[in-house]
Amino acid sequence: MSNRNCPDFDAVIVGAGFSGIYLLHKLRDAGFRVLLVDAAAQPGGIWYWNCYPGARVDSQVPLYEFSIPEVWESWTWSERFPGWEELRAYFRHVCDTLDLWPLIRLGSRVERAGFEEGAGLWQLQLEGEETISTRYLLPALGFASKPYIPDIPGIEDFEGEWFHTARWPQKGIDLDGRKVALIGTGASGVQVAQEAAKSAETLTLFQRTPILALPMRQEQLTREDQEHEKHRYPAIFVQRRQTSGGFECQSLEVSALEVDEKVRNAHFEDLWQRGGLRFWYHNFADLLINREANRHAYDFWRDKVRARIADPGLAHKLAPSEPPHPFGTKRPSLEQGYYEIFAQDNVALVDLKANPITRVGPHAITTEDGEVECDLIVFATGFDAGRGGLIDMNITGGDGLSLSQAWEDGLRAYLGMAVSGFPNMLFAYGPLSPSGFSNGPTSAEIQGDWICDFLVWMRSKGLDLFDADPQAEASWTEMVAQVGAMTLFPEADSWYMGANIPGKKRQLINFPSVSGYAAFCGEVALDGYRGFTASTPANKDCATR
Ligand code: N01
């Protein structure tokens, strides 16, 4: 006879990106009955949904890959900063190598998830009315799973096509000869612009705030190059956990103000020439905490960019004399010839601060100054980062409280993984963890190891029910805010601050140090998972295996 208190699974993971796949591998190997579900048709998380032209990662390999030896030993990349197609192929390789496919259900969206207090289980309703139960619910949705589309009057009258970058049609869109209007100039907007400029009849960028983009300096990689370097990988994977951003190095220990101009500029130049995000993560110690130090970096960046733009009016719009916000307090994107496209006849820039959009018509976007004809509108307007995907999963906790109600007055989460009142749930890559400040795979592995260890510890003690202590949660949430207040991040209207979404509480949504976070979580574990209450199984007949 089946026991209604016995769940179908020990753990259900939602999301097949880096965090979810790593958790699946760890928990399966630890002997848990585990299932991973994802609405997408292929694994890859962000690399499934963001298949717009030019989408590629801004963190270089081998930093941007799993440290699992059987995975990296048998894989080679073609580029230092791989694009979405290659990243998807990598995920297939991971699932093949680790034999994960039987534990993954794709094309299956979780419509709602409710915790049943009596049984101590989560009931998940999947698209199509199927219900499954699990002891532990592990959402691993990434920080950018809910696209944000601003409300622009008249969009319903538009007779062309329009898409958000993160909901790009899987069959692709031919940009040849199109009249493209691109709204938003963050990392996604820059990448679309570089591609669209190649073949669109016209490309008009609608810029609200200029992006402070850095040169990517892409490199083609050969198999031989990588085989030659692979003996260094284990040390690189250890090292990346010990840095603040999960990369191979972190900021210098010296202030930008302690050195003379020549030394300062020499370091800036070195970072600039080496490319990637290094100008952000390997800069002077006080880049993100001291306005004067930051201003030196901005001025260097501005002068470098202006030297690439012939038209002084454009140069002023793309790289203003005064910083729109301190350098690096919005995530800098990586560019490959972005500033050069504006010299092309088919490319135009609309400065939305001077000339806002008033409405969309059947064939054009109308601004205060006139009309821009278009047949394709691309919204590269970002995400409701951190909370959006989790709220859309319609999660309700022990007393029927929904996550959106729990976060009405702002995000709260113990260790950026657990919300008090939502027992037996831990999310990976979520709000108040380092996610947005971290190289993805580094965080995925740190949190994946920690979550797996925690569930193994619970099992070893015969415990099956945990919840975050409200006091521990409040302290963690307050600590993230206090750390944020010591930085320049609050000075930017960024998604880091929740400031890109109308009505969202302004707060730093991520903890700005991967290594600091790993150390803190490690101490919590050593201290018997302090900050959690844990109890014996609701039904001892079917405790977690
Ligand atoms: O989104 P964003 P994204 N009217 O929020 C503008 C990662 N990522 O998708 O700055 C007009 O950064 C908004 O303007 P403003 C990466 O972590 C990585 O580009 O708010 N414009 C901004 O220009 C990144 O940080 C990669 O004034 C509006 C843009 O839309 C994160 O994802 C590639 C507007 C949104 O920029 C998000 O990047 C892509 C409105 N109403 C993404 N509302 C790589 O790995 C917003 N905007 C390389």
Side-chain angles (χ1 to χ4, degrees), residues 56-58 150 184-188 191 208-209 330-331 380-383 495:
R56 67 178 59 254
V57 67
D58 60 8
T185 53
S188 305
Q191 293 183 333
R208 192 165 65 180
T209 309
K330 283 190 174 186
R331 189 177 172 102
T381 40
F383 301 88
W495 64 260

mmCIF file with all atom_site columns, all heavy atoms in Angstrom, residues 56-58 150 184-188 191 208-209 330-331 380-383 495, ligand 1:
data_model
loop_
_atom_site.group_PDB
_atom_site.id
_atom_site.type_symbol
_atom_site.label_atom_id
_atom_site.label_alt_id
_atom_site.label_comp_id
_atom_site.label_asym_id
_atom_site.label_entity_id
_atom_site.label_seq_id
_atom_site.pdbx_PDB_ins_code
_atom_site.Cartn_x
_atom_site.Cartn_y
_atom_site.Cartn_z
_atom_site.occupancy
_atom_site.B_iso_or_equiv
_atom_site.pdbx_formal_charge
_atom_site.auth_seq_id
_atom_site.auth_comp_id
_atom_site.auth_asym_id
_atom_site.auth_atom_id
_atom_site.pdbx_PDB_model_num
ATOM   1   N N   . ARG A 1 56  ? 26.799 35.769 -26.013 1.00 0.00 ? 56  ARG A N   1
ATOM   2   C CA  . ARG A 1 56  ? 27.977 34.992 -25.577 1.00 0.00 ? 56  ARG A CA  1
ATOM   3   C C   . ARG A 1 56  ? 28.358 35.414 -24.173 1.00 0.00 ? 56  ARG A C   1
ATOM   4   O O   . ARG A 1 56  ? 27.973 36.490 -23.700 1.00 0.00 ? 56  ARG A O   1
ATOM   5   C CB  . ARG A 1 56  ? 29.144 35.137 -26.540 1.00 0.00 ? 56  ARG A CB  1
ATOM   6   C CG  . ARG A 1 56  ? 29.790 36.496 -26.625 1.00 0.00 ? 56  ARG A CG  1
ATOM   7   C CD  . ARG A 1 56  ? 30.982 36.500 -27.603 1.00 0.00 ? 56  ARG A CD  1
ATOM   8   N NE  . ARG A 1 56  ? 30.595 36.116 -28.946 1.00 0.00 ? 56  ARG A NE  1
ATOM   9   C CZ  . ARG A 1 56  ? 30.881 34.936 -29.508 1.00 0.00 ? 56  ARG A CZ  1
ATOM   10  N NH1 . ARG A 1 56  ? 31.588 34.033 -28.844 1.00 0.00 ? 56  ARG A NH1 1
ATOM   11  N NH2 . ARG A 1 56  ? 30.488 34.666 -30.727 1.00 0.00 ? 56  ARG A NH2 1
ATOM   12  N N   . VAL A 1 57  ? 29.123 34.566 -23.518 1.00 0.00 ? 57  VAL A N   1
ATOM   13  C CA  . VAL A 1 57  ? 29.435 34.782 -22.116 1.00 0.00 ? 57  VAL A CA  1
ATOM   14  C C   . VAL A 1 57  ? 30.537 35.842 -21.950 1.00 0.00 ? 57  VAL A C   1
ATOM   15  O O   . VAL A 1 57  ? 31.360 36.036 -22.846 1.00 0.00 ? 57  VAL A O   1
ATOM   16  C CB  . VAL A 1 57  ? 29.828 33.434 -21.454 1.00 0.00 ? 57  VAL A CB  1
ATOM   17  C CG1 . VAL A 1 57  ? 31.139 32.898 -21.990 1.00 0.00 ? 57  VAL A CG1 1
ATOM   18  C CG2 . VAL A 1 57  ? 29.892 33.560 -19.947 1.00 0.00 ? 57  VAL A CG2 1
ATOM   19  N N   . ASP A 1 58  ? 30.512 36.515 -20.777 1.00 0.00 ? 58  ASP A N   1
ATOM   20  C CA  . ASP A 1 58  ? 31.527 37.544 -20.534 1.00 0.00 ? 58  ASP A CA  1
ATOM   21  C C   . ASP A 1 58  ? 32.605 37.070 -19.561 1.00 0.00 ? 58  ASP A C   1
ATOM   22  O O   . ASP A 1 58  ? 33.404 37.867 -19.078 1.00 0.00 ? 58  ASP A O   1
ATOM   23  C CB  . ASP A 1 58  ? 30.877 38.845 -20.029 1.00 0.00 ? 58  ASP A CB  1
ATOM   24  C CG  . ASP A 1 58  ? 30.110 38.659 -18.729 1.00 0.00 ? 58  ASP A CG  1
ATOM   25  O OD1 . ASP A 1 58  ? 30.200 37.572 -18.125 1.00 0.00 ? 58  ASP A OD1 1
ATOM   26  O OD2 . ASP A 1 58  ? 29.424 39.609 -18.296 1.00 0.00 ? 58  ASP A OD2 1
ATOM   27  N N   . PRO A 1 150 ? 9.244  46.966 -20.571 1.00 0.00 ? 150 PRO A N   1
ATOM   28  C CA  . PRO A 1 150 ? 8.560  48.180 -20.116 1.00 0.00 ? 150 PRO A CA  1
ATOM   29  C C   . PRO A 1 150 ? 7.241  48.382 -20.851 1.00 0.00 ? 150 PRO A C   1
ATOM   30  O O   . PRO A 1 150 ? 7.058  47.907 -21.968 1.00 0.00 ? 150 PRO A O   1
ATOM   31  C CB  . PRO A 1 150 ? 9.553  49.298 -20.446 1.00 0.00 ? 150 PRO A CB  1
ATOM   32  C CG  . PRO A 1 150 ? 10.501 48.743 -21.445 1.00 0.00 ? 150 PRO A CG  1
ATOM   33  C CD  . PRO A 1 150 ? 10.486 47.252 -21.308 1.00 0.00 ? 150 PRO A CD  1
ATOM   34  N N   . GLY A 1 184 ? 17.368 49.518 -25.144 1.00 0.00 ? 184 GLY A N   1
ATOM   35  C CA  . GLY A 1 184 ? 18.207 49.023 -24.048 1.00 0.00 ? 184 GLY A CA  1
ATOM   36  C C   . GLY A 1 184 ? 19.620 48.781 -24.523 1.00 0.00 ? 184 GLY A C   1
ATOM   37  O O   . GLY A 1 184 ? 19.844 48.165 -25.572 1.00 0.00 ? 184 GLY A O   1
ATOM   38  N N   . THR A 1 185 ? 20.570 49.288 -23.757 1.00 0.00 ? 185 THR A N   1
ATOM   39  C CA  . THR A 1 185 ? 21.984 49.145 -24.140 1.00 0.00 ? 185 THR A CA  1
ATOM   40  C C   . THR A 1 185 ? 22.793 48.567 -22.981 1.00 0.00 ? 185 THR A C   1
ATOM   41  O O   . THR A 1 185 ? 23.851 49.071 -22.626 1.00 0.00 ? 185 THR A O   1
ATOM   42  C CB  . THR A 1 185 ? 22.563 50.507 -24.581 1.00 0.00 ? 185 THR A CB  1
ATOM   43  O OG1 . THR A 1 185 ? 22.307 51.467 -23.548 1.00 0.00 ? 185 THR A OG1 1
ATOM   44  C CG2 . THR A 1 185 ? 21.953 50.989 -25.883 1.00 0.00 ? 185 THR A CG2 1
ATOM   45  N N   . GLY A 1 186 ? 22.249 47.509 -22.354 1.00 0.00 ? 186 GLY A N   1
ATOM   46  C CA  . GLY A 1 186 ? 23.035 46.739 -21.385 1.00 0.00 ? 186 GLY A CA  1
ATOM   47  C C   . GLY A 1 186 ? 23.843 45.701 -22.151 1.00 0.00 ? 186 GLY A C   1
ATOM   48  O O   . GLY A 1 186 ? 24.045 45.804 -23.369 1.00 0.00 ? 186 GLY A O   1
ATOM   49  N N   . ALA A 1 187 ? 24.291 44.654 -21.438 1.00 0.00 ? 187 ALA A N   1
ATOM   50  C CA  . ALA A 1 187 ? 25.127 43.626 -22.065 1.00 0.00 ? 187 ALA A CA  1
ATOM   51  C C   . ALA A 1 187 ? 24.404 42.976 -23.247 1.00 0.00 ? 187 ALA A C   1
ATOM   52  O O   . ALA A 1 187 ? 25.010 42.725 -24.300 1.00 0.00 ? 187 ALA A O   1
ATOM   53  C CB  . ALA A 1 187 ? 25.501 42.568 -21.032 1.00 0.00 ? 187 ALA A CB  1
ATOM   54  N N   . SER A 1 188 ? 23.100 42.708 -23.089 1.00 0.00 ? 188 SER A N   1
ATOM   55  C CA  . SER A 1 188 ? 22.354 42.059 -24.172 1.00 0.00 ? 188 SER A CA  1
ATOM   56  C C   . SER A 1 188 ? 22.230 43.000 -25.365 1.00 0.00 ? 188 SER A C   1
ATOM   57  O O   . SER A 1 188 ? 22.413 42.588 -26.520 1.00 0.00 ? 188 SER A O   1
ATOM   58  C CB  . SER A 1 188 ? 20.949 41.655 -23.705 1.00 0.00 ? 188 SER A CB  1
ATOM   59  O OG  . SER A 1 188 ? 21.024 40.843 -22.563 1.00 0.00 ? 188 SER A OG  1
ATOM   60  N N   . GLN A 1 191 ? 25.366 43.253 -27.483 1.00 0.00 ? 191 GLN A N   1
ATOM   61  C CA  . GLN A 1 191 ? 25.628 42.071 -28.318 1.00 0.00 ? 191 GLN A CA  1
ATOM   62  C C   . GLN A 1 191 ? 24.711 42.018 -29.532 1.00 0.00 ? 191 GLN A C   1
ATOM   63  O O   . GLN A 1 191 ? 25.146 41.696 -30.633 1.00 0.00 ? 191 GLN A O   1
ATOM   64  C CB  . GLN A 1 191 ? 25.494 40.803 -27.464 1.00 0.00 ? 191 GLN A CB  1
ATOM   65  C CG  . GLN A 1 191 ? 26.592 40.733 -26.404 1.00 0.00 ? 191 GLN A CG  1
ATOM   66  C CD  . GLN A 1 191 ? 26.543 39.456 -25.573 1.00 0.00 ? 191 GLN A CD  1
ATOM   67  O OE1 . GLN A 1 191 ? 25.499 38.844 -25.399 1.00 0.00 ? 191 GLN A OE1 1
ATOM   68  N NE2 . GLN A 1 191 ? 27.694 39.062 -25.054 1.00 0.00 ? 191 GLN A NE2 1
ATOM   69  N N   . ARG A 1 208 ? 19.042 54.756 -22.873 1.00 0.00 ? 208 ARG A N   1
ATOM   70  C CA  . ARG A 1 208 ? 18.671 55.596 -21.726 1.00 0.00 ? 208 ARG A CA  1
ATOM   71  C C   . ARG A 1 208 ? 19.930 55.996 -20.951 1.00 0.00 ? 208 ARG A C   1
ATOM   72  O O   . ARG A 1 208 ? 20.146 57.139 -20.643 1.00 0.00 ? 208 ARG A O   1
ATOM   73  C CB  . ARG A 1 208 ? 17.676 54.860 -20.825 1.00 0.00 ? 208 ARG A CB  1
ATOM   74  C CG  . ARG A 1 208 ? 17.033 55.763 -19.809 1.00 0.00 ? 208 ARG A CG  1
ATOM   75  C CD  . ARG A 1 208 ? 15.813 55.139 -19.181 1.00 0.00 ? 208 ARG A CD  1
ATOM   76  N NE  . ARG A 1 208 ? 16.130 53.944 -18.394 1.00 0.00 ? 208 ARG A NE  1
ATOM   77  C CZ  . ARG A 1 208 ? 15.221 53.229 -17.757 1.00 0.00 ? 208 ARG A CZ  1
ATOM   78  N NH1 . ARG A 1 208 ? 13.942 53.563 -17.820 1.00 0.00 ? 208 ARG A NH1 1
ATOM   79  N NH2 . ARG A 1 208 ? 15.570 52.163 -17.059 1.00 0.00 ? 208 ARG A NH2 1
ATOM   80  N N   . THR A 1 209 ? 20.766 54.980 -20.679 1.00 0.00 ? 209 THR A N   1
ATOM   81  C CA  . THR A 1 209 ? 22.027 55.239 -19.980 1.00 0.00 ? 209 THR A CA  1
ATOM   82  C C   . THR A 1 209 ? 23.141 54.589 -20.793 1.00 0.00 ? 209 THR A C   1
ATOM   83  O O   . THR A 1 209 ? 22.999 53.427 -21.184 1.00 0.00 ? 209 THR A O   1
ATOM   84  C CB  . THR A 1 209 ? 22.008 54.591 -18.574 1.00 0.00 ? 209 THR A CB  1
ATOM   85  O OG1 . THR A 1 209 ? 20.816 54.982 -17.898 1.00 0.00 ? 209 THR A OG1 1
ATOM   86  C CG2 . THR A 1 209 ? 23.224 54.985 -17.752 1.00 0.00 ? 209 THR A CG2 1
ATOM   87  N N   . LYS A 1 330 ? 27.282 49.417 -12.300 1.00 0.00 ? 330 LYS A N   1
ATOM   88  C CA  . LYS A 1 330 ? 26.428 48.598 -13.161 1.00 0.00 ? 330 LYS A CA  1
ATOM   89  C C   . LYS A 1 330 ? 27.385 47.623 -13.800 1.00 0.00 ? 330 LYS A C   1
ATOM   90  O O   . LYS A 1 330 ? 28.533 47.990 -14.080 1.00 0.00 ? 330 LYS A O   1
ATOM   91  C CB  . LYS A 1 330 ? 25.768 49.439 -14.252 1.00 0.00 ? 330 LYS A CB  1
ATOM   92  C CG  . LYS A 1 330 ? 24.603 50.261 -13.759 1.00 0.00 ? 330 LYS A CG  1
ATOM   93  C CD  . LYS A 1 330 ? 23.878 50.864 -14.941 1.00 0.00 ? 330 LYS A CD  1
ATOM   94  C CE  . LYS A 1 330 ? 22.638 51.575 -14.477 1.00 0.00 ? 330 LYS A CE  1
ATOM   95  N NZ  . LYS A 1 330 ? 21.833 52.047 -15.614 1.00 0.00 ? 330 LYS A NZ  1
ATOM   96  N N   . ARG A 1 331 ? 26.934 46.416 -14.092 1.00 0.00 ? 331 ARG A N   1
ATOM   97  C CA  . ARG A 1 331 ? 27.865 45.448 -14.644 1.00 0.00 ? 331 ARG A CA  1
ATOM   98  C C   . ARG A 1 331 ? 28.357 45.916 -16.015 1.00 0.00 ? 331 ARG A C   1
ATOM   99  O O   . ARG A 1 331 ? 27.556 46.168 -16.915 1.00 0.00 ? 331 ARG A O   1
ATOM   100 C CB  . ARG A 1 331 ? 27.188 44.095 -14.773 1.00 0.00 ? 331 ARG A CB  1
ATOM   101 C CG  . ARG A 1 331 ? 28.161 42.978 -15.128 1.00 0.00 ? 331 ARG A CG  1
ATOM   102 C CD  . ARG A 1 331 ? 27.409 41.676 -15.167 1.00 0.00 ? 331 ARG A CD  1
ATOM   103 N NE  . ARG A 1 331 ? 28.221 40.602 -15.667 1.00 0.00 ? 331 ARG A NE  1
ATOM   104 C CZ  . ARG A 1 331 ? 28.791 39.684 -14.899 1.00 0.00 ? 331 ARG A CZ  1
ATOM   105 N NH1 . ARG A 1 331 ? 28.648 39.736 -13.600 1.00 0.00 ? 331 ARG A NH1 1
ATOM   106 N NH2 . ARG A 1 331 ? 29.494 38.711 -15.429 1.00 0.00 ? 331 ARG A NH2 1
ATOM   107 N N   . ALA A 1 380 ? 15.869 44.823 -25.195 1.00 0.00 ? 380 ALA A N   1
ATOM   108 C CA  . ALA A 1 380 ? 17.030 44.315 -24.438 1.00 0.00 ? 380 ALA A CA  1
ATOM   109 C C   . ALA A 1 380 ? 16.995 45.030 -23.095 1.00 0.00 ? 380 ALA A C   1
ATOM   110 O O   . ALA A 1 380 ? 17.950 45.681 -22.681 1.00 0.00 ? 380 ALA A O   1
ATOM   111 C CB  . ALA A 1 380 ? 18.315 44.614 -25.200 1.00 0.00 ? 380 ALA A CB  1
ATOM   112 N N   . THR A 1 381 ? 15.835 44.920 -22.443 1.00 0.00 ? 381 THR A N   1
ATOM   113 C CA  . THR A 1 381 ? 15.533 45.791 -21.305 1.00 0.00 ? 381 THR A CA  1
ATOM   114 C C   . THR A 1 381 ? 15.698 45.092 -19.958 1.00 0.00 ? 381 THR A C   1
ATOM   115 O O   . THR A 1 381 ? 15.194 45.571 -18.943 1.00 0.00 ? 381 THR A O   1
ATOM   116 C CB  . THR A 1 381 ? 14.097 46.348 -21.456 1.00 0.00 ? 381 THR A CB  1
ATOM   117 O OG1 . THR A 1 381 ? 13.241 45.313 -21.959 1.00 0.00 ? 381 THR A OG1 1
ATOM   118 C CG2 . THR A 1 381 ? 14.067 47.516 -22.422 1.00 0.00 ? 381 THR A CG2 1
ATOM   119 N N   . GLY A 1 382 ? 16.381 43.960 -19.949 1.00 0.00 ? 382 GLY A N   1
ATOM   120 C CA  . GLY A 1 382 ? 16.791 43.382 -18.676 1.00 0.00 ? 382 GLY A CA  1
ATOM   121 C C   . GLY A 1 382 ? 15.769 42.479 -18.020 1.00 0.00 ? 382 GLY A C   1
ATOM   122 O O   . GLY A 1 382 ? 14.855 41.952 -18.676 1.00 0.00 ? 382 GLY A O   1
ATOM   123 N N   . PHE A 1 383 ? 15.922 42.344 -16.708 1.00 0.00 ? 383 PHE A N   1
ATOM   124 C CA  . PHE A 1 383 ? 15.221 41.300 -15.962 1.00 0.00 ? 383 PHE A CA  1
ATOM   125 C C   . PHE A 1 383 ? 14.750 41.812 -14.602 1.00 0.00 ? 383 PHE A C   1
ATOM   126 O O   . PHE A 1 383 ? 15.357 42.724 -14.041 1.00 0.00 ? 383 PHE A O   1
ATOM   127 C CB  . PHE A 1 383 ? 16.185 40.130 -15.721 1.00 0.00 ? 383 PHE A CB  1
ATOM   128 C CG  . PHE A 1 383 ? 16.715 39.543 -16.996 1.00 0.00 ? 383 PHE A CG  1
ATOM   129 C CD1 . PHE A 1 383 ? 17.862 40.049 -17.600 1.00 0.00 ? 383 PHE A CD1 1
ATOM   130 C CD2 . PHE A 1 383 ? 16.048 38.499 -17.623 1.00 0.00 ? 383 PHE A CD2 1
ATOM   131 C CE1 . PHE A 1 383 ? 18.344 39.530 -18.798 1.00 0.00 ? 383 PHE A CE1 1
ATOM   132 C CE2 . PHE A 1 383 ? 16.521 37.968 -18.824 1.00 0.00 ? 383 PHE A CE2 1
ATOM   133 C CZ  . PHE A 1 383 ? 17.665 38.487 -19.407 1.00 0.00 ? 383 PHE A CZ  1
ATOM   134 N N   . TRP A 1 495 ? 20.196 47.019 -11.896 1.00 0.00 ? 495 TRP A N   1
ATOM   135 C CA  . TRP A 1 495 ? 19.460 45.835 -11.444 1.00 0.00 ? 495 TRP A CA  1
ATOM   136 C C   . TRP A 1 495 ? 20.102 45.255 -10.190 1.00 0.00 ? 495 TRP A C   1
ATOM   137 O O   . TRP A 1 495 ? 19.440 44.576 -9.414  1.00 0.00 ? 495 TRP A O   1
ATOM   138 C CB  . TRP A 1 495 ? 19.305 44.796 -12.552 1.00 0.00 ? 495 TRP A CB  1
ATOM   139 C CG  . TRP A 1 495 ? 20.544 44.146 -13.102 1.00 0.00 ? 495 TRP A CG  1
ATOM   140 C CD1 . TRP A 1 495 ? 21.199 44.456 -14.247 1.00 0.00 ? 495 TRP A CD1 1
ATOM   141 C CD2 . TRP A 1 495 ? 21.255 43.023 -12.547 1.00 0.00 ? 495 TRP A CD2 1
ATOM   142 N NE1 . TRP A 1 495 ? 22.277 43.620 -14.442 1.00 0.00 ? 495 TRP A NE1 1
ATOM   143 C CE2 . TRP A 1 495 ? 22.332 42.732 -13.410 1.00 0.00 ? 495 TRP A CE2 1
ATOM   144 C CE3 . TRP A 1 495 ? 21.083 42.235 -11.397 1.00 0.00 ? 495 TRP A CE3 1
ATOM   145 C CZ2 . TRP A 1 495 ? 23.240 41.691 -13.158 1.00 0.00 ? 495 TRP A CZ2 1
ATOM   146 C CZ3 . TRP A 1 495 ? 21.985 41.204 -11.160 1.00 0.00 ? 495 TRP A CZ3 1
ATOM   147 C CH2 . TRP A 1 495 ? 23.034 40.946 -12.024 1.00 0.00 ? 495 TRP A CH2 1
HETATM 148 O O1  . N01 B 2 .   ? 19.915 43.923 -19.016 1.00 0.00 ? 1   N01 B O1  1
HETATM 149 P P1  . N01 B 2 .   ? 20.332 45.256 -18.237 1.00 0.00 ? 1   N01 B P1  1
HETATM 150 P P2  . N01 B 2 .   ? 20.814 42.992 -19.946 1.00 0.00 ? 1   N01 B P2  1
HETATM 151 N N1  . N01 B 2 .   ? 13.231 52.375 -21.569 1.00 0.00 ? 1   N01 B N1  1
HETATM 152 O O2  . N01 B 2 .   ? 19.338 45.398 -17.140 1.00 0.00 ? 1   N01 B O2  1
HETATM 153 C C1  . N01 B 2 .   ? 17.405 49.702 -20.551 1.00 0.00 ? 1   N01 B C1  1
HETATM 154 C C2  . N01 B 2 .   ? 23.947 39.423 -17.814 1.00 0.00 ? 1   N01 B C2  1
HETATM 155 N N2  . N01 B 2 .   ? 24.273 39.293 -19.237 1.00 0.00 ? 1   N01 B N2  1
HETATM 156 O O3  . N01 B 2 .   ? 19.928 41.906 -20.454 1.00 0.00 ? 1   N01 B O3  1
HETATM 157 O O4  . N01 B 2 .   ? 20.572 51.543 -17.833 1.00 0.00 ? 1   N01 B O4  1
HETATM 158 C C3  . N01 B 2 .   ? 14.433 52.371 -22.163 1.00 0.00 ? 1   N01 B C3  1
HETATM 159 O O5  . N01 B 2 .   ? 21.740 45.283 -17.872 1.00 0.00 ? 1   N01 B O5  1
HETATM 160 C C4  . N01 B 2 .   ? 18.373 49.976 -19.452 1.00 0.00 ? 1   N01 B C4  1
HETATM 161 O O6  . N01 B 2 .   ? 18.596 51.348 -19.310 1.00 0.00 ? 1   N01 B O6  1
HETATM 162 P P3  . N01 B 2 .   ? 19.128 51.952 -17.902 1.00 0.00 ? 1   N01 B P3  1
HETATM 163 C C5  . N01 B 2 .   ? 24.833 40.483 -17.193 1.00 0.00 ? 1   N01 B C5  1
HETATM 164 O O7  . N01 B 2 .   ? 25.072 40.163 -15.850 1.00 0.00 ? 1   N01 B O7  1
HETATM 165 C C6  . N01 B 2 .   ? 25.489 38.824 -19.563 1.00 0.00 ? 1   N01 B C6  1
HETATM 166 O O8  . N01 B 2 .   ? 21.540 43.763 -20.919 1.00 0.00 ? 1   N01 B O8  1
HETATM 167 O O9  . N01 B 2 .   ? 18.315 51.284 -16.824 1.00 0.00 ? 1   N01 B O9  1
HETATM 168 N N3  . N01 B 2 .   ? 15.447 51.614 -21.784 1.00 0.00 ? 1   N01 B N3  1
HETATM 169 C C7  . N01 B 2 .   ? 19.580 49.182 -19.947 1.00 0.00 ? 1   N01 B C7  1
HETATM 170 O O10 . N01 B 2 .   ? 20.272 49.892 -20.917 1.00 0.00 ? 1   N01 B O10 1
HETATM 171 C C8  . N01 B 2 .   ? 23.960 41.686 -17.309 1.00 0.00 ? 1   N01 B C8  1
HETATM 172 O O11 . N01 B 2 .   ? 24.290 42.721 -16.414 1.00 0.00 ? 1   N01 B O11 1
HETATM 173 C C9  . N01 B 2 .   ? 25.844 38.697 -20.855 1.00 0.00 ? 1   N01 B C9  1
HETATM 174 O O12 . N01 B 2 .   ? 18.906 53.386 -17.997 1.00 0.00 ? 1   N01 B O12 1
HETATM 175 C C10 . N01 B 2 .   ? 15.226 50.795 -20.756 1.00 0.00 ? 1   N01 B C10 1
HETATM 176 C C11 . N01 B 2 .   ? 18.913 47.965 -20.582 1.00 0.00 ? 1   N01 B C11 1
HETATM 177 O O13 . N01 B 2 .   ? 17.573 48.344 -20.887 1.00 0.00 ? 1   N01 B O13 1
HETATM 178 C C12 . N01 B 2 .   ? 22.585 41.105 -17.059 1.00 0.00 ? 1   N01 B C12 1
HETATM 179 O O14 . N01 B 2 .   ? 22.615 39.836 -17.677 1.00 0.00 ? 1   N01 B O14 1
HETATM 180 C C13 . N01 B 2 .   ? 24.980 39.032 -21.867 1.00 0.00 ? 1   N01 B C13 1
HETATM 181 C C14 . N01 B 2 .   ? 13.999 50.728 -20.094 1.00 0.00 ? 1   N01 B C14 1
HETATM 182 C C15 . N01 B 2 .   ? 18.841 46.785 -19.659 1.00 0.00 ? 1   N01 B C15 1
HETATM 183 O O15 . N01 B 2 .   ? 20.116 46.385 -19.324 1.00 0.00 ? 1   N01 B O15 1
HETATM 184 C C16 . N01 B 2 .   ? 21.456 41.897 -17.665 1.00 0.00 ? 1   N01 B C16 1
HETATM 185 O O16 . N01 B 2 .   ? 21.852 42.372 -18.961 1.00 0.00 ? 1   N01 B O16 1
HETATM 186 C C17 . N01 B 2 .   ? 23.744 39.505 -21.526 1.00 0.00 ? 1   N01 B C17 1
HETATM 187 C C18 . N01 B 2 .   ? 12.972 51.578 -20.542 1.00 0.00 ? 1   N01 B C18 1
HETATM 188 N N4  . N01 B 2 .   ? 11.785 51.606 -19.933 1.00 0.00 ? 1   N01 B N4  1
HETATM 189 C C19 . N01 B 2 .   ? 23.398 39.629 -20.209 1.00 0.00 ? 1   N01 B C19 1
HETATM 190 N N5  . N01 B 2 .   ? 14.083 49.823 -19.122 1.00 0.00 ? 1   N01 B N5  1
HETATM 191 C C20 . N01 B 2 .   ? 27.181 38.184 -21.136 1.00 0.00 ? 1   N01 B C20 1
HETATM 192 O O17 . N01 B 2 .   ? 27.607 37.213 -20.592 1.00 0.00 ? 1   N01 B O17 1
HETATM 193 C C21 . N01 B 2 .   ? 15.333 49.327 -19.170 1.00 0.00 ? 1   N01 B C21 1
HETATM 194 N N6  . N01 B 2 .   ? 16.020 49.925 -20.153 1.00 0.00 ? 1   N01 B N6  1
HETATM 195 C C22 . N01 B 2 .   ? 28.001 38.935 -22.067 1.00 0.00 ? 1   N01 B C22 1
#
